């Protein structure tokens, strides 16, 4: 039993599958990416936002969590960052369309500044990493 646990731990340590270093936490940027997707189109349905997020690099290795996107949209609506309206569908059910408010554009701008700072910090880290590990860019 102890041997299996050690082998499993060694295997997991080698793959880093469940470690934050794998990039699994990139889904934390769902709100920022959703704001950008809405800003690109002016108005967008939840379905269109999810489709656009799949194309963005911030979707992470695990893909887009639909329920997380809809939770983010609800929270953003409650905090005044997006407004939604219902559009009657001619061939299907009505769909909710989301649009950024002035507050939402301000939040998107703040996300861009924050991610810019993080990007510079990451580049600094990578530069030091390359020097220590003697790895080329």
């Amino acid at each position: 039993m102890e041997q299996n646990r050690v082998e499993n731990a060694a295997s997991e340590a080698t793959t880093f599958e469940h470690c934050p270093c794998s990039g699994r936490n990139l889904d934390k940027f769902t709100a920022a990416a959703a704001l950008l997707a809405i800003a690109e189109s002016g108005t967008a349905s939840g379905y269109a936002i999810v489709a656009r997020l799949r194309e963005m690099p911030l979707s992470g290795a695990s893909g887009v969590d639909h329920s997380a996107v809809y939770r983010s949209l609800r929270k953003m609506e409650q905090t005044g960052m997006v407004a939604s309206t219902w559009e009657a569908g001619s061939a299907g059910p009505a769909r909710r369309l989301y649009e950024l408010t002035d507050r939402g554009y301000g939040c998107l701008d703040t996300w861009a500044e924050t991610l810019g700072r993080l990007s510079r910090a990451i580049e600094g880290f990578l530069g030091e990493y390359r020097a220590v590990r003697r790895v080329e860019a």
Side-chain angles (χ1 to χ4, degrees):
M1 177 96 94
E2 181 66 23
Q3 180 66 26
N4 286 343
R5 193 171 62 128
V6 170
E7 287 173 4
N8 288 342
S11 172
E12 189 172 314
T14 303
T15 63
F16 298 103
E17 193 173 309
H18 299 289
C19 179
C21 68
S22 69
R24 293 173 51 101
N25 293 336
L26 287 179
D27 63 341
K28 303 297 183 213
F29 296 114
T30 298
L35 288 169
L36 182 58
I38 297 167
E40 283 178 334
S41 62
T43 61
S45 67
Y47 181 84
I49 293 166
V50 168
R52 179 62 183 108
L53 293 180
R54 279 194 203 108
E55 300 168 355
M56 291 182 169
L58 288 177
S59 65
S62 60
V64 177
D65 179 351
H66 297 135
S67 59
V69 171
Y70 285 101
R71 279 192 308 271
S72 289
L73 289 169
R74 272 195 307 276
K75 186 173 184 176
M76 288 189 287
E77 188 166 21
Q78 291 169 351
T79 58
M81 290 186 224
V82 300
S84 69
T85 57
W86 286 95
E87 177 184 75
S90 59
R95 62 187 185 149
R96 188 183 295 250
L97 297 177
Y98 296 91
E99 184 175 7
L100 286 187
T101 62
D102 288 341
R103 181 175 167 82
Y105 279 105
C107 183
L108 178 59
D109 294 343
T110 302
W111 265 114
E113 291 169 14
T114 300
L115 292 174
R117 282 192 310 274
L118 287 173
S119 176
R120 290 186 294 280
I122 290 168
E123 281 304 314
F125 170 84
L126 290 174
E128 291 185 28
Y129 165 78
R130 289 181 195 112
V132 168
R133 298 288 289 169
R134 293 179 176 79
V135 176
E136 292 189 31

